[in-house]
Amino acid sequence: MNAAKEWKNFSLEQLQACREELEQEYAGYVKQNLKLNMSRGKPAGTQLDLCNGALETLSSYTTADGLDARNYGVLDGLPEVKKLFSDLLDIPAEKIIVGGNSSLNLMYDTMVRCLLFGTRGNTPWSKLGKVKFLCPSPGYDRHFAICEELGIEMITVPMREDGPDMELVEKLAAEDDSVKGIWCVPLYSNPQGICYSPKTVERLGAMKAAPDFRIFWDNAYGVHHIYSEEKLADIFAACEKGGHPDRVFYFFSTSKITFPGAGVAILAASPDNVAEIKKHMGIQTIGYDKLNQLRTLQFLKNADGVRAHMRKMAAELKPKFDIVLNTLQSELGGTGLAQWTSPKGGYFVAIDTLDNCAKATLELAKQAGVTMTGAGATFPYHRDPRDRNIRIAPTYPTADELQTAIRLFCVCVKLAGVRKLIAEKQ
Amino acid sequence: MNAAKEWKNFSLEQLQACREELEQEYAGYVKQNLKLNMSRGKPAGTQLDLCNGALETLSSYTTADGLDARNYGVLDGLPEVKKLFSDLLDIPAEKIIVGGNSSLNLMYDTMVRCLLFGTRGNTPWSKLGKVKFLCPSPGYDRHFAICEELGIEMITVPMREDGPDMELVEKLAAEDDSVKGIWCVPLYSNPQGICYSPKTVERLGAMKAAPDFRIFWDNAYGVHHIYSEEKLADIFAACEKGGHPDRVFYFFSTSKITFPGAGVAILAASPDNVAEIKKHMGIQTIGYDKLNQLRTLQFLKNADGVRAHMRKMAAELKPKFDIVLNTLQSELGGTGLAQWTSPKGGYFVAIDTLDNCAKATLELAKQAGVTMTGAGATFPYHRDPRDRNIRIAPTYPTADELQTAIRLFCVCVKLAGVRKLIAEKQ
């Protein structure tokens, strides 16, 4: 990178000239009355069309065991559906509970069970004076919302290239018994697309922590490859090796494989955890929707079927990620006004503006008709300490809309940045 | 009734002769190696066949509002689905939240929210020293299991012909601020098939109670008429009239209209309650399965469609209820060994044996291969104070199986009864 070209090294006059040009360009966008949305990780209709087979009539409501799936029975999921997820994720079937349509719901309920009942004989978290969770950030706003709702204190842990800052994680978990867990999106993390390295996974399994410390392992993008197929080390093996077989609650769903909100979610955990969870789950419900489990299975067929389907999804998504990454590079590359990640899969691109420029950037985008995830959303309590992280969700708009939106977004990043640099020089 | 024919008035010799005959009859059943199940309120396959239309391909995934139901969005249910339930149950749509596949799950989650967050500004129940619930009994075992799981003390309230003993309910609710709610199955109650009278409904709405006292109104059998269409007074109107508009949490589902576990459940409450619930629910999930909402709507069409469908269900169920009620009458009528209810709808018949004979009766049935709901299950903590109540669930077996099972059951009732009478006389 040519440091001379970085805008922070521009003279006041150069910056003022840039600003004037950018203000004009921005005004041009405002006039277009755009209405574009890059706020949520929402598939586009064209992606969903690839899944329309899952809308079709069930060819059979009889399970592999000969049960009538239309009727009551089977709390923890049909064996053939467990097998699909077992093969796909390399998790033994006996560790798997197949739930309803929402992995978020399984996470929330799991946290509530820890609060109300404790886990594996430990004190219910609601009976402790304080419960803290480690929150690698930037992270997923809905994870943080669960903690906030339930009064769990969140500790921000920075993300590195290979996962959370493990030195800090280890220190916090070892020193403070009230630290009861950590949120992880280990593959193509939300929002940066970071993949946890084998070393990170190993350290999470081995580290010293409270006996009821739990890793909430939200493998939301576990098969959502785009540019390459990144591998994730086995968190169960790591925890077993570390002597903490009950440490993981593992979540996955087909919400972004088949249909958001009409897919199938799973929770995986050690057999002892599974037994404990089922005991409580059996009071909460008679069972989840087995017909939807069969419907999803009928469409996806097996683990190879999922992989083949996800390659079609990747072909659909790659052009959109190309647009975002190419435009960021052409518009912001070398300016020093922003840094961003280049994810190999998942649903998001994360960008860091200059310090204290995220809110201003998003406000500019909003005024010009582009809705994005709110500033701070990727941090606990919506507080981005440096006000710089922005999540870009490229999947929902069409390619044309996305091209427009991301160009405009770059103008906003530059305009907010140049305004800040000018203010600093004056 | 001819009191002289009641077995308690038989001489010891008469009783011993009866016992001998019954022991022989019972032994004949045991030899048959029967395997029959009257334990749960589970529809038969023939009933479910009436619903196979709900398995068919969705004709459209676009909602009345023009939304793509395959995608994320809409926490509280599709407007057209709310309208169906609104028309069917005469509840304004703004009071309705459409949930997932399980009303039990909605009840459990509602109770958990009261524990963790309190309701309408009142102290969270988990922060109170003690929380008590009124449990009209015999009642639904899964309601009682929720209380037991969550550490809520259950107070048994006897059922009368027109609902719970309201004098006792009013007294307990007025005198004790820690009494926070009551479980009600107001139409064709589980297991007796009792319908709450308008006066009972009025008194529930008007009575003095803690500000956060809540009626968990599980209208599970609200449209499940068999012999006649009983009417249920409007609990919302009663509570509003009584000055307690937030007092009701109303539950309903299509689990026994379409498919158990693959239907659609709703929660209805005052607009203030709904706003509060949605705030928490929005942290727990992004949304319930809208495609299943549309699928259910496509099959049922509208409120009249539900009513027409339920008449077909009634035609399917009536012969089974006839078998149970006629056999009870012919085998036990006049013996004084049992009393039972004659429900006009719902899923169950409840029978009271002589005191201290329910467990013995069910043990005899079990030894002869007929599984029934466990003794005591219809009471809090599984404790039937008089050990006499038994729930008969006639829906699942075929008519032939049911005829055999209920005849055998009557033999068991008589055998347990005559053994007791003999023991008393000796």
Side-chain angles (χ1 to χ4, degrees):
Chain A
M1 197 183 293
N2 186 343
K5 281 193 171 168
E6 288 197 26
W7 290 28
K8 68 176 178 198
N9 300 322
F10 283 7
S11 68
L12 185 59
E13 291 67 32
Q14 280 176 303
L15 289 171
Q16 283 167 333
C18 287
R19 181 178 65 180
E20 197 161 320
E21 205 176 304
L22 285 163
E23 299 276 13
Q24 278 184 14
E25 200 176 349
Y26 177 73
Y29 278 107
V30 171
K31 273 189 203 146
Q32 294 180 43
N33 286 315
L34 298 171
K35 212 179 157 190
L36 302 169
N37 195 320
M38 292 196 293
S39 70
R40 303 298 317 177
K42 207 171 155 173
T46 46
Q47 265 179 275
L48 300 181
D49 289 343
L50 297 174
C51 314
N52 280 349
L55 296 172
E56 278 169 27
T57 306
L58 260 182
S59 62
S60 169
Y61 47 74
T62 307
T63 71
D65 285 350
L67 289 175
D68 185 339
R70 300 173 304 176
N71 220 326
Y72 287 119
V74 191
L75 175 64
D76 56 350
L78 299 177
E80 57 265 52
V81 178
K82 287 188 187 177
K83 180 172 165 35
L84 178 138
F85 290 109
S86 171
D87 291 347
L88 183 65
L89 302 170
D90 205 14
I91 299 171
E94 65 266 26
K95 288 187 178 164
I96 295 177
I97 294 173
V98 188
N101 71 322
S102 162
S103 57
L104 190 73
N105 201 323
L106 288 176
M107 293 173 219
Y108 182 95
D109 288 359
T110 301
M111 194 73 93
V112 165
R113 279 189 295 267
C114 289
L115 282 168
L116 291 177
F117 313 116
T119 176
R120 308 283 305 122
N122 294 287
T123 308
W125 294 353
S126 63
K127 299 256 164 79
L128 303 172
K130 184 158 278 210
V131 176
K132 299 175 191 163
F133 250 64
L134 306 181
C135 297
S137 303
Y140 181 33
D141 54 351
R142 292 189 191 270
H143 289 164
F144 304 156
I146 289 177
C147 281
E148 197 166 355
E149 156 108 340
L150 296 172
I152 294 169
E153 187 180 315
M154 290 179 273
I155 304 176
T156 301
V157 172
M159 281 294 281
R160 304 284 179 226
E161 279 185 9
D162 58 352
D165 178 342
M166 281 309 298
E167 221 152 305
L168 184 57
V169 167
E170 286 163 343
K171 185 175 175 313
L172 291 165
E175 284 177 359
D176 186 349
D177 211 51
S178 71
V179 170
K180 293 299 186 194
I182 185 170
W183 284 110
C184 298
V185 182
L187 205 67
Y188 313 125
S189 73
N190 179 350
Q192 293 165 298
I194 285 170
C195 298
Y196 285 30
S197 71
K199 187 73 198 161
T200 297
V201 174
E202 190 191 333
R203 290 171 76 173
L204 282 167
M207 70 184 190
K208 195 169 166 289
D212 52 348
F213 180 94
R214 290 293 177 268
I215 301 169
F216 277 60
W217 194 253
D218 181 6
N219 195 13
Y221 309 105
V223 296
H224 300 62
H225 316 294
I226 299 176
Y227 294 99
S228 66
E229 303 207 352
E230 300 298 310
K231 294 269 175 280
L232 179 63
D234 184 341
I235 185 68
F236 283 110
C239 291
E240 282 154 23
K241 192 179 158 207
H244 312 110
D246 296 333
R247 185 172 277 180
V248 201
F249 294 133
Y250 185 123
F251 304 93
F252 184 81
S253 87
T254 72
S255 291
K256 286 181 179 106
I257 296 174
T258 58
F259 297 125
V264 172
I266 68 160
L267 159 53
S270 72
D272 282 338
N273 279 335
V274 162
E276 183 176 86
I277 291 164
K278 279 170 66 176
K279 200 180 54 145
H280 296 298
M281 203 173 245
I283 307 294
Q284 185 180 21
T285 184
I286 302 175
Y288 295 102
D289 185 343
K290 295 186 297 297
L291 290 177
N292 205 41
Q293 291 178 24
L294 281 185
R295 204 177 283 117
T296 303
L297 180 66
Q298 175 176 295
F299 174 64
L300 295 172
K301 291 185 179 69
N302 51 40
D304 279 340
V306 177
R307 291 187 196 104
H309 176 68
M310 292 313 286
R311 283 193 288 273
K312 288 189 217 166
M313 283 286 191
E316 185 76 23
L317 287 180
K318 185 174 170 296
K320 294 188 176 176
F321 277 78
D322 284 347
I323 286 170
V324 171
L325 295 169
N326 293 340
T327 309
L328 290 177
Q329 185 55 39
S330 64
E331 298 297 318
L332 301 175
T335 63
L337 296 177
Q339 292 178 293
W340 58 91
T341 52
S342 286
K344 302 284 178 243
Y347 256 65
F348 304 101
V349 174
I351 180 169
D352 281 335
T353 64
L354 293 183
D355 283 4
N356 303 312
C357 282
K359 272 186 202 151
T361 299
L362 291 173
E363 185 56 32
L364 285 167
K366 190 178 162 192
Q367 295 298 330
V370 173
T371 307
M372 303 192 56
T373 312
T378 54
F379 282 81
Y381 309 107
H382 296 262
R383 286 198 294 258
D384 177 356
R386 295 172 65 180
D387 180 27
R388 62 172 187 170
N389 189 256
I390 295 175
R391 183 178 83 163
I392 299 173
T395 55
Y396 190 67
T398 64
D400 282 354
E401 289 169 343
L402 182 64
Q403 185 61 76
T404 305
I406 199 72
R407 275 207 194 107
L408 163 60
F409 172 73
C410 290
V411 170
C412 298
V413 171
K414 287 193 276 191
L415 186 52
V418 78
R419 283 177 179 171
K420 174 194 151 118
L421 292 174
I422 288 171
E424 282 173 356
K425 293 218 188 244
Q426 277 175 332
Chain B
M1 197 182 293
N2 187 343
K5 282 192 172 167
E6 289 196 25
W7 290 26
K8 69 178 177 195
N9 300 323
F10 282 8
S11 68
L12 184 59
E13 291 67 33
Q14 280 177 305
L15 289 171
Q16 283 167 332
C18 287
R19 181 178 64 180
E20 196 160 322
E21 204 175 305
L22 286 163
E23 300 276 12
Q24 278 185 15
E25 201 176 347
Y26 177 72
Y29 278 108
V30 171
K31 275 189 202 143
Q32 294 180 41
N33 288 315
L34 298 171
K35 214 180 155 188
L36 301 169
N37 196 318
M38 292 195 295
S39 70
R40 303 298 317 175
K42 208 169 154 175
T46 45
Q47 264 179 278
L48 300 180
D49 289 344
L50 297 174
C51 314
N52 280 348
L55 296 171
E56 277 169 27
T57 306
L58 259 182
S59 62
S60 168
Y61 47 74
T62 307
T63 71
D65 285 350
L67 288 176
D68 185 338
R70 299 173 305 177
N71 220 326
Y72 288 119
V74 189
L75 176 65
D76 57 350
L78 299 177
E80 56 266 52
V81 178
K82 287 188 187 175
K83 179 171 165 37
L84 178 138
F85 289 109
S86 171
D87 291 347
L88 183 64
L89 302 170
D90 204 15
I91 299 172
E94 67 265 25
K95 288 186 179 165
I96 295 176
I97 293 173
V98 187
N101 71 323
S102 163
S103 57
L104 189 73
N105 201 325
L106 289 175
M107 292 174 219
Y108 182 95
D109 288 358
T110 301
M111 194 72 92
V112 165
R113 281 189 293 269
C114 288
L115 281 169
L116 291 177
F117 313 116
T119 175
R120 308 284 305 122
N122 294 288
T123 308
W125 294 352
S126 63
K127 299 257 164 78
L128 302 172
K130 184 158 277 209
V131 176
K132 299 175 191 162
F133 250 65
L134 306 180
C135 297
S137 301
Y140 180 34
D141 54 351
R142 292 189 190 271
H143 289 164
F144 303 155
I146 290 177
C147 281
E148 199 167 353
E149 155 110 340
L150 297 172
I152 294 169
E153 186 181 316
M154 291 180 272
I155 304 176
T156 301
V157 172
M159 282 293 282
R160 305 285 180 221
E161 278 184 10
D162 57 350
D165 177 341
M166 281 308 299
E167 220 152 305
L168 184 57
V169 167
E170 285 164 344
K171 183 175 174 317
L172 291 165
E175 284 177 0
D176 186 350
D177 212 50
S178 71
V179 170
K180 292 300 186 194
I182 184 169
W183 284 111
C184 299
V185 182
L187 204 67
Y188 312 125
S189 72
N190 179 349
Q192 295 166 297
I194 286 168
C195 298
Y196 285 29
S197 70
K199 187 71 198 166
T200 297
V201 174
E202 189 190 334
R203 289 171 77 173
L204 282 167
M207 69 184 191
K208 196 169 163 290
D212 51 352
F213 180 94
R214 290 293 178 269
I215 300 168
F216 277 61
W217 195 252
D218 180 6
N219 195 14
Y221 309 105
V223 296
H224 300 60
H225 315 295
I226 299 176
Y227 293 99
S228 68
E229 303 208 351
E230 301 298 309
K231 293 267 174 281
L232 179 63
D234 183 341
I235 186 67
F236 283 111
C239 291
E240 282 155 23
K241 193 180 157 206
H244 312 108
D246 295 334
R247 184 172 278 181
V248 200
F249 294 134
Y250 185 123
F251 304 93
F252 184 82
S253 88
T254 71
S255 291
K256 288 184 179 103
I257 296 175
T258 58
F259 297 124
V264 172
I266 69 160
L267 159 54
S270 71
D272 282 338
N273 279 335
V274 163
E276 183 175 87
I277 291 164
K278 280 170 65 176
K279 200 180 55 147
H280 297 298
M281 202 174 247
I283 307 294
Q284 185 181 22
T285 185
I286 301 174
Y288 296 101
D289 185 343
K290 297 187 296 297
L291 291 177
N292 205 40
Q293 291 178 24
L294 281 185
R295 203 176 285 119
T296 303
L297 180 66
Q298 176 176 293
F299 173 64
L300 295 171
K301 291 185 179 69
N302 51 39
D304 279 340
V306 177
R307 290 185 198 107
H309 177 68
M310 292 313 285
R311 283 192 289 272
K312 288 187 218 167
M313 283 286 191
E316 185 75 23
L317 287 180
K318 185 173 169 296
K320 295 189 176 176
F321 276 79
D322 285 347
I323 287 170
V324 172
L325 295 169
N326 293 340
T327 308
L328 290 176
Q329 184 56 40
S330 64
E331 299 296 319
L332 301 174
T335 63
L337 297 177
Q339 292 178 295
W340 58 92
T341 51
S342 287
K344 303 283 178 242
Y347 255 64
F348 303 101
V349 174
I351 180 170
D352 281 334
T353 63
L354 293 183
D355 283 6
N356 303 312
C357 284
K359 273 186 202 151
T361 299
L362 290 173
E363 186 55 32
L364 285 167
K366 191 178 161 194
Q367 295 300 331
V370 173
T371 307
M372 303 192 56
T373 313
T378 53
F379 282 80
Y381 308 107
H382 296 264
R383 286 199 294 258
D384 176 356
R386 295 174 63 181
D387 180 27
R388 62 171 187 169
N389 189 255
I390 295 175
R391 183 177 83 162
I392 300 172
T395 55
Y396 190 67
T398 64
D400 281 353
E401 290 169 341
L402 182 64
Q403 184 62 76
T404 305
I406 199 73
R407 274 205 196 110
L408 164 60
F409 173 73
C410 289
V411 170
C412 299
V413 170
K414 284 193 279 192
L415 186 52
V418 78
R419 283 178 180 171
K420 174 193 151 119
L421 292 175
I422 289 171
E424 282 173 356
K425 291 218 189 244
Q426 277 173 334

